[in-house]
Amino acid sequence: MDKPTHRVEFEAMLLGRHLQPGASRARRGGGHLDRSAYTLLSRIRMEGPMSIGQLSDAFGLDASTLNRQTAAMLRAGLVERIPDPDGGIARKFRITGAGEDSLDAERAANISGLERVMADWSPDEVAAFAAYLKRFNGDIENLDGRPWPRP
């Protein structure tokens, strides 16, 4: 681990482990969204209703994977299938009120956890870290050709 990129890879691996949505609540037996539901719901909230094809393009996943993930979200009442609001033939997935509530609760718990971890950081340090993460993610998205919409 003598190169900075080696250290970045290692720390990114640990970051993914630490920030997995719902991980600590799952160990305590509480309800949570799994990583795929959290990410899919976040994207649908930002983009509006999306078809399997649009989700496949956005995430670079095959339709069978997305069918399994969206089926689980349908069973949980987190999304619903609707006709395409733009008149297309593909049905789309729209986040439900329960999906919105679950996403909001998960995000609030994640933010609370981050605030505990970063309690001793200055606001400038938190802002700098956020800026580096945004740049890092943006560069990955640009290389992959799948930019993530940001508020």
Side-chain angles (χ1 to χ4, degrees):
M1 285 224 231
D2 55 339
K3 292 184 178 181
T5 52
H6 295 183
R7 292 190 302 273
V8 168
E9 183 279 331
F10 182 79
E11 295 300 333
M13 178 270 303
L14 289 177
L15 182 65
R17 177 184 167 274
H18 294 308
L19 294 183
Q20 180 174 347
S24 64
R25 286 182 302 289
R27 285 192 291 273
R28 291 193 310 260
H32 73 282
L33 294 175
D34 65 31
R35 180 177 287 186
S36 66
Y38 185 77
T39 307
L40 286 167
L41 288 172
S42 294
R43 186 64 179 251
I44 293 169
R45 176 185 273 172
M46 295 207 58
E47 295 275 328
M50 297 179 77
S51 67
I52 287 289
Q54 290 171 315
L55 290 168
S56 179
D57 290 344
F59 288 95
L61 297 172
D62 61 81
S64 64
T65 298
L66 287 162
N67 278 321
R68 282 191 304 277
Q69 293 172 345
T70 54
M73 292 190 320
L74 277 165
R75 284 191 303 275
L78 302 172
V79 294
E80 60 187 347
R81 277 199 177 113
I82 62 166
D84 185 345
D86 299 323
I89 59 171
R91 296 187 51 86
K92 294 194 172 187
F93 293 94
R94 176 174 61 196
I95 191 169
T96 63
E100 294 274 0
D101 292 345
S102 293
L103 185 57
D104 289 342
E106 194 72 35
R107 182 158 286 135
N110 290 340
I111 290 168
S112 176
L114 286 170
E115 288 171 346
R116 284 192 309 274
V117 169
M118 301 171 121
D120 294 333
W121 292 33
S122 73
D124 287 342
E125 288 172 319
V126 175
F129 187 61
Y132 279 123
L133 282 175
K134 180 180 178 185
R135 179 179 176 188
F136 183 76
N137 282 325
D139 288 348
I140 291 170
E141 294 160 15
N142 288 335
L143 285 172
D144 195 37
R146 291 186 177 89
W148 190 274
R150 286 178 168 74

PDB file of all heavy atoms in Angstrom, residues 60-80:
ATOM      1  N   GLY A  60     -26.677   0.508 -15.356  1.00  0.00           N
ATOM      2  CA  GLY A  60     -25.809  -0.445 -16.043  1.00  0.00           C
ATOM      3  C   GLY A  60     -26.043  -1.874 -15.577  1.00  0.00           C
ATOM      4  O   GLY A  60     -25.133  -2.683 -15.563  1.00  0.00           O
ATOM      5  N   LEU A  61     -27.284  -2.164 -15.192  1.00  0.00           N
ATOM      6  CA  LEU A  61     -27.647  -3.508 -14.731  1.00  0.00           C
ATOM      7  C   LEU A  61     -28.566  -4.159 -15.750  1.00  0.00           C
ATOM      8  O   LEU A  61     -29.299  -3.476 -16.458  1.00  0.00           O
ATOM      9  CB  LEU A  61     -28.374  -3.425 -13.384  1.00  0.00           C
ATOM     10  CG  LEU A  61     -27.575  -2.863 -12.217  1.00  0.00           C
ATOM     11  CD1 LEU A  61     -28.471  -2.665 -10.999  1.00  0.00           C
ATOM     12  CD2 LEU A  61     -26.409  -3.793 -11.879  1.00  0.00           C
ATOM     13  N   ASP A  62     -28.551  -5.495 -15.791  1.00  0.00           N
ATOM     14  CA  ASP A  62     -29.430  -6.178 -16.731  1.00  0.00           C
ATOM     15  C   ASP A  62     -30.858  -6.196 -16.187  1.00  0.00           C
ATOM     16  O   ASP A  62     -31.103  -6.030 -14.990  1.00  0.00           O
ATOM     17  CB  ASP A  62     -28.936  -7.597 -17.025  1.00  0.00           C
ATOM     18  CG  ASP A  62     -28.897  -8.471 -15.796  1.00  0.00           C
ATOM     19  OD1 ASP A  62     -29.968  -8.990 -15.415  1.00  0.00           O
ATOM     20  OD2 ASP A  62     -27.811  -8.630 -15.214  1.00  0.00           O
ATOM     21  N   ALA A  63     -31.796  -6.384 -17.106  1.00  0.00           N
ATOM     22  CA  ALA A  63     -33.219  -6.319 -16.767  1.00  0.00           C
ATOM     23  C   ALA A  63     -33.607  -7.368 -15.732  1.00  0.00           C
ATOM     24  O   ALA A  63     -34.448  -7.105 -14.865  1.00  0.00           O
ATOM     25  CB  ALA A  63     -34.065  -6.465 -18.032  1.00  0.00           C
ATOM     26  N   SER A  64     -32.997  -8.558 -15.779  1.00  0.00           N
ATOM     27  CA  SER A  64     -33.385  -9.601 -14.816  1.00  0.00           C
ATOM     28  C   SER A  64     -33.018  -9.198 -13.389  1.00  0.00           C
ATOM     29  O   SER A  64     -33.791  -9.446 -12.457  1.00  0.00           O
ATOM     30  CB  SER A  64     -32.746 -10.946 -15.182  1.00  0.00           C
ATOM     31  OG  SER A  64     -31.335 -10.875 -15.086  1.00  0.00           O
ATOM     32  N   THR A  65     -31.880  -8.563 -13.212  1.00  0.00           N
ATOM     33  CA  THR A  65     -31.489  -8.079 -11.879  1.00  0.00           C
ATOM     34  C   THR A  65     -32.479  -7.026 -11.403  1.00  0.00           C
ATOM     35  O   THR A  65     -32.949  -7.061 -10.264  1.00  0.00           O
ATOM     36  CB  THR A  65     -30.066  -7.495 -11.918  1.00  0.00           C
ATOM     37  OG1 THR A  65     -29.152  -8.529 -12.299  1.00  0.00           O
ATOM     38  CG2 THR A  65     -29.662  -6.903 -10.581  1.00  0.00           C
ATOM     39  N   LEU A  66     -32.803  -6.090 -12.275  1.00  0.00           N
ATOM     40  CA  LEU A  66     -33.738  -5.026 -11.904  1.00  0.00           C
ATOM     41  C   LEU A  66     -35.144  -5.562 -11.681  1.00  0.00           C
ATOM     42  O   LEU A  66     -35.857  -5.072 -10.800  1.00  0.00           O
ATOM     43  CB  LEU A  66     -33.729  -3.927 -12.957  1.00  0.00           C
ATOM     44  CG  LEU A  66     -32.455  -3.086 -12.902  1.00  0.00           C
ATOM     45  CD1 LEU A  66     -32.255  -2.317 -14.188  1.00  0.00           C
ATOM     46  CD2 LEU A  66     -32.466  -2.167 -11.709  1.00  0.00           C
ATOM     47  N   ASN A  67     -35.542  -6.573 -12.439  1.00  0.00           N
ATOM     48  CA  ASN A  67     -36.860  -7.178 -12.208  1.00  0.00           C
ATOM     49  C   ASN A  67     -36.941  -7.784 -10.809  1.00  0.00           C
ATOM     50  O   ASN A  67     -37.955  -7.632 -10.126  1.00  0.00           O
ATOM     51  CB  ASN A  67     -37.177  -8.238 -13.273  1.00  0.00           C
ATOM     52  CG  ASN A  67     -37.707  -7.634 -14.551  1.00  0.00           C
ATOM     53  OD1 ASN A  67     -38.487  -6.691 -14.520  1.00  0.00           O
ATOM     54  ND2 ASN A  67     -37.286  -8.182 -15.677  1.00  0.00           N
ATOM     55  N   ARG A  68     -35.881  -8.453 -10.372  1.00  0.00           N
ATOM     56  CA  ARG A  68     -35.867  -9.020  -9.016  1.00  0.00           C
ATOM     57  C   ARG A  68     -35.927  -7.909  -7.966  1.00  0.00           C
ATOM     58  O   ARG A  68     -36.668  -7.994  -6.990  1.00  0.00           O
ATOM     59  CB  ARG A  68     -34.609  -9.867  -8.796  1.00  0.00           C
ATOM     60  CG  ARG A  68     -34.659 -11.243  -9.414  1.00  0.00           C
ATOM     61  CD  ARG A  68     -33.521 -12.130  -8.952  1.00  0.00           C
ATOM     62  NE  ARG A  68     -32.204 -11.570  -9.183  1.00  0.00           N
ATOM     63  CZ  ARG A  68     -31.530 -11.627 -10.327  1.00  0.00           C
ATOM     64  NH1 ARG A  68     -32.077 -12.232 -11.365  1.00  0.00           N
ATOM     65  NH2 ARG A  68     -30.338 -11.106 -10.431  1.00  0.00           N
ATOM     66  N   GLN A  69     -35.131  -6.862  -8.167  1.00  0.00           N
ATOM     67  CA  GLN A  69     -35.076  -5.781  -7.192  1.00  0.00           C
ATOM     68  C   GLN A  69     -36.392  -5.011  -7.129  1.00  0.00           C
ATOM     69  O   GLN A  69     -36.888  -4.698  -6.043  1.00  0.00           O
ATOM     70  CB  GLN A  69     -33.908  -4.841  -7.501  1.00  0.00           C
ATOM     71  CG  GLN A  69     -32.562  -5.514  -7.300  1.00  0.00           C
ATOM     72  CD  GLN A  69     -31.395  -4.670  -7.783  1.00  0.00           C
ATOM     73  OE1 GLN A  69     -31.555  -3.704  -8.517  1.00  0.00           O
ATOM     74  NE2 GLN A  69     -30.191  -5.051  -7.374  1.00  0.00           N
ATOM     75  N   THR A  70     -36.962  -4.701  -8.281  1.00  0.00           N
ATOM     76  CA  THR A  70     -38.221  -3.950  -8.285  1.00  0.00           C
ATOM     77  C   THR A  70     -39.375  -4.819  -7.796  1.00  0.00           C
ATOM     78  O   THR A  70     -40.296  -4.307  -7.160  1.00  0.00           O
ATOM     79  CB  THR A  70     -38.532  -3.358  -9.674  1.00  0.00           C
ATOM     80  OG1 THR A  70     -38.513  -4.399 -10.663  1.00  0.00           O
ATOM     81  CG2 THR A  70     -37.535  -2.266 -10.032  1.00  0.00           C
ATOM     82  N   ALA A  71     -39.329  -6.127  -8.057  1.00  0.00           N
ATOM     83  CA  ALA A  71     -40.377  -7.023  -7.551  1.00  0.00           C
ATOM     84  C   ALA A  71     -40.374  -7.015  -6.023  1.00  0.00           C
ATOM     85  O   ALA A  71     -41.441  -6.983  -5.390  1.00  0.00           O
ATOM     86  CB  ALA A  71     -40.181  -8.440  -8.081  1.00  0.00           C
ATOM     87  N   ALA A  72     -39.203  -7.034  -5.428  1.00  0.00           N
ATOM     88  CA  ALA A  72     -39.109  -6.980  -3.961  1.00  0.00           C
ATOM     89  C   ALA A  72     -39.653  -5.650  -3.441  1.00  0.00           C
ATOM     90  O   ALA A  72     -40.357  -5.617  -2.423  1.00  0.00           O
ATOM     91  CB  ALA A  72     -37.661  -7.187  -3.518  1.00  0.00           C
ATOM     92  N   MET A  73     -39.356  -4.569  -4.147  1.00  0.00           N
ATOM     93  CA  MET A  73     -39.854  -3.263  -3.724  1.00  0.00           C
ATOM     94  C   MET A  73     -41.378  -3.177  -3.905  1.00  0.00           C
ATOM     95  O   MET A  73     -42.064  -2.557  -3.089  1.00  0.00           O
ATOM     96  CB  MET A  73     -39.142  -2.139  -4.466  1.00  0.00           C
ATOM     97  CG  MET A  73     -37.668  -2.028  -4.078  1.00  0.00           C
ATOM     98  SD  MET A  73     -36.792  -0.555  -4.687  1.00  0.00           S
ATOM     99  CE  MET A  73     -37.381  -0.314  -6.316  1.00  0.00           C
ATOM    100  N   LEU A  74     -41.907  -3.791  -4.962  1.00  0.00           N
ATOM    101  CA  LEU A  74     -43.361  -3.836  -5.160  1.00  0.00           C
ATOM    102  C   LEU A  74     -44.029  -4.592  -4.015  1.00  0.00           C
ATOM    103  O   LEU A  74     -45.030  -4.125  -3.459  1.00  0.00           O
ATOM    104  CB  LEU A  74     -43.695  -4.525  -6.489  1.00  0.00           C
ATOM    105  CG  LEU A  74     -43.628  -3.681  -7.750  1.00  0.00           C
ATOM    106  CD1 LEU A  74     -43.623  -4.562  -8.994  1.00  0.00           C
ATOM    107  CD2 LEU A  74     -44.776  -2.694  -7.799  1.00  0.00           C
ATOM    108  N   ARG A  75     -43.477  -5.777  -3.666  1.00  0.00           N
ATOM    109  CA  ARG A  75     -44.047  -6.577  -2.578  1.00  0.00           C
ATOM    110  C   ARG A  75     -44.028  -5.813  -1.256  1.00  0.00           C
ATOM    111  O   ARG A  75     -44.938  -5.949  -0.437  1.00  0.00           O
ATOM    112  CB  ARG A  75     -43.285  -7.901  -2.424  1.00  0.00           C
ATOM    113  CG  ARG A  75     -43.609  -8.929  -3.481  1.00  0.00           C
ATOM    114  CD  ARG A  75     -43.046 -10.295  -3.156  1.00  0.00           C
ATOM    115  NE  ARG A  75     -41.606 -10.300  -2.950  1.00  0.00           N
ATOM    116  CZ  ARG A  75     -40.688 -10.402  -3.906  1.00  0.00           C
ATOM    117  NH1 ARG A  75     -41.072 -10.515  -5.163  1.00  0.00           N
ATOM    118  NH2 ARG A  75     -39.407 -10.408  -3.623  1.00  0.00           N
ATOM    119  N   ALA A  76     -42.985  -5.012  -1.055  1.00  0.00           N
ATOM    120  CA  ALA A  76     -42.853  -4.236   0.182  1.00  0.00           C
ATOM    121  C   ALA A  76     -43.703  -2.961   0.157  1.00  0.00           C
ATOM    122  O   ALA A  76     -43.760  -2.252   1.160  1.00  0.00           O
ATOM    123  CB  ALA A  76     -41.381  -3.895   0.430  1.00  0.00           C
ATOM    124  N   GLY A  77     -44.321  -2.658  -0.984  1.00  0.00           N
ATOM    125  CA  GLY A  77     -45.151  -1.460  -1.092  1.00  0.00           C
ATOM    126  C   GLY A  77     -44.352  -0.167  -1.226  1.00  0.00           C
ATOM    127  O   GLY A  77     -44.884   0.916  -0.989  1.00  0.00           O
ATOM    128  N   LEU A  78     -43.080  -0.278  -1.630  1.00  0.00           N
ATOM    129  CA  LEU A  78     -42.216   0.898  -1.754  1.00  0.00           C
ATOM    130  C   LEU A  78     -42.385   1.609  -3.092  1.00  0.00           C
ATOM    131  O   LEU A  78     -42.134   2.812  -3.198  1.00  0.00           O
ATOM    132  CB  LEU A  78     -40.745   0.497  -1.563  1.00  0.00           C
ATOM    133  CG  LEU A  78     -40.418  -0.187  -0.232  1.00  0.00           C
ATOM    134  CD1 LEU A  78     -38.992  -0.702  -0.242  1.00  0.00           C
ATOM    135  CD2 LEU A  78     -40.667   0.752   0.922  1.00  0.00           C
ATOM    136  N   VAL A  79     -42.771   0.852  -4.120  1.00  0.00           N
ATOM    137  CA  VAL A  79     -43.033   1.402  -5.450  1.00  0.00           C
ATOM    138  C   VAL A  79     -44.326   0.797  -5.966  1.00  0.00           C
ATOM    139  O   VAL A  79     -44.813  -0.210  -5.443  1.00  0.00           O
ATOM    140  CB  VAL A  79     -41.880   1.104  -6.461  1.00  0.00           C
ATOM    141  CG1 VAL A  79     -40.601   1.812  -6.068  1.00  0.00           C
ATOM    142  CG2 VAL A  79     -41.665  -0.384  -6.637  1.00  0.00           C
ATOM    143  N   GLU A  80     -44.854   1.424  -7.005  1.00  0.00           N
ATOM    144  CA  GLU A  80     -46.018   0.890  -7.703  1.00  0.00           C
ATOM    145  C   GLU A  80     -45.768   1.026  -9.195  1.00  0.00           C
ATOM    146  O   GLU A  80     -44.987   1.870  -9.623  1.00  0.00           O
ATOM    147  CB  GLU A  80     -47.285   1.634  -7.295  1.00  0.00           C
ATOM    148  CG  GLU A  80     -47.253   3.123  -7.603  1.00  0.00           C
ATOM    149  CD  GLU A  80     -48.449   3.873  -7.033  1.00  0.00           C
ATOM    150  OE1 GLU A  80     -49.418   3.229  -6.614  1.00  0.00           O
ATOM    151  OE2 GLU A  80     -48.387   5.116  -7.033  1.00  0.00           O
TER     152      GLU A  80
END
